[in-house]
Amino acid sequence: MNTQVRAVASPKSHPAGSIRHDWTRGEIDALFKLPFTDLIFQAQTIHRQHFNPTQVQISTLLSIKTGGCPEDCAYCPQSAQYDTGVTASKLMEVETVVAEARAAKAAGASRFCMGAAWRSPKDKDLDAVCAMVEEVKALGMETCVTLGMLTGPQAGRLKQAGLDYYNHNLDTSPEFYGEIITTRTYADRLNTLAHVREAGINVCCGGIVGMGESADDRTGMIMALANLPVHPESVPINLLVQVEGTPLHTGKALDPIEFVRTVAVARVTMPASVVRLSAGREDMSDEIQALCFLAGANSIFYGPKLLTTPNPDQDHDMGLLNRLGLTPTPSTV
Ligand code: SAM
Ligand code: DTB
Ligand code: SF4
């Protein structure tokens, strides 16, 4: 039997690796249920149609405003509704943020992602964030911010400041969403994504797995992402970081192979998007991370801290990329 044909077979109307926005639940479910070898082969084949398979994009995160958030996202250590030991702080000074960005660039990051624990930014706060975007960009780094819900005019201001990416995740399937967040709706998230898209900013949008969702919910999450009118340029796939004090602490851990499958299905359904192996790497072996790269992940968060939780240290990550013969994707700015 010709296994190559078997693994990449897809209908004539939809050649493997083409960009589609009409994925059915059945098709995505079938991808998740493929034999692992067939799924990885398909993901890697499609990955090579759109990307250099030896490059990994490197982003460093900084929490520019930590904790005290009014939202009730059940996974989040920064929600004021849970006692997680995170101390709330004010928005950082522009110069302090720029110094952190400079250090991230020197350590090898091409993108600097700034996160604020807000439901949505106040216009006054946006002045300071725009100054951060301008100055970080002037260092020759790509910029990304995640500030919660945005209006159209706010997205326009960020675009004017030169923002490259806005991160706003769908987080999970529309069906499971209400179990995780009650203070804003799925439609609110889609609205913010539309404002970002209309402003001409690249969209960074993905989700979290390992929150106690069903396999159907993982299918539903990928379907919601892959059927957006335009695929997000960047798709972070986070593994829940279980934080004491949050409602999701002590939940059952996800099978790491199921995580790799989620990355692979994201790659197959959003062939030209950069898929980021995001939060949760601290709990993954090097070997599982290597499988994620094989499954089509081509970006990581780099640096010893995510927003409030630990991430592998830089030496370890550069060592891992070296062992795998992978190199950082050059900055586009
Ligand atoms: N407050 C803004 C918002 O939620 O839109 C921006 C910052 S928020 C921390 C950014 C994203 O981080 C969330 O949408 C979620 O996907 C991810 N995240 C937060 N806590 C996490 C955790 N414990 N494990 C994995 N991902 C997490
Ligand atoms: C994303 O999808 N994951 C990042 C980033 N976008 C902002 C955040 C992960 C946060 C993990 C928990 C923490 O460190 O607080
Ligand atoms: Fe607030 Fe964002 Fe955390 Fe939700 S994910 S509680 S909006 S900081």
Side-chain angles (χ1 to χ4, degrees), residues 75-78 116-118 146-148 167-169 171 184 189 208 238-241 243 279 307:
Y75 47 76
C76 188
Q78 303 198 70
W118 288 324
T146 178
L147 315 172
N167 166 247
H168 198 65
N169 292 335
D171 278 349
R184 72 170 77 155
R189 289 186 184 256
I208 313 176
N238 296 276
L239 176 65
L240 174 72
V241 180
V243 177
L307 292 172

Side-chain angles (χ1 to χ4, degrees), residues 280-282 289 301-305 310-317:
R281 290 196 301 116
E282 186 75 340
Q289 294 182 59
F301 283 127
Y302 172 69
K305 203 167 165 193
N311 196 43
D313 68 39
Q314 282 142 320
D315 287 351
H316 186 91
D317 276 345

Side-chain angles (χ1 to χ4, degrees), residues 63-78:
S63 180
I64 57 171
K65 193 272 161 203
T66 305
C69 183
E71 303 292 279
D72 70 352
C73 312
Y75 47 76
C76 188
Q78 303 198 70

Side-chain angles (χ1 to χ4, degrees), residues 49 66 96 194 200 227 292 297:
Q49 292 174 10
T66 305
T96 320
N227 286 344
C292 288

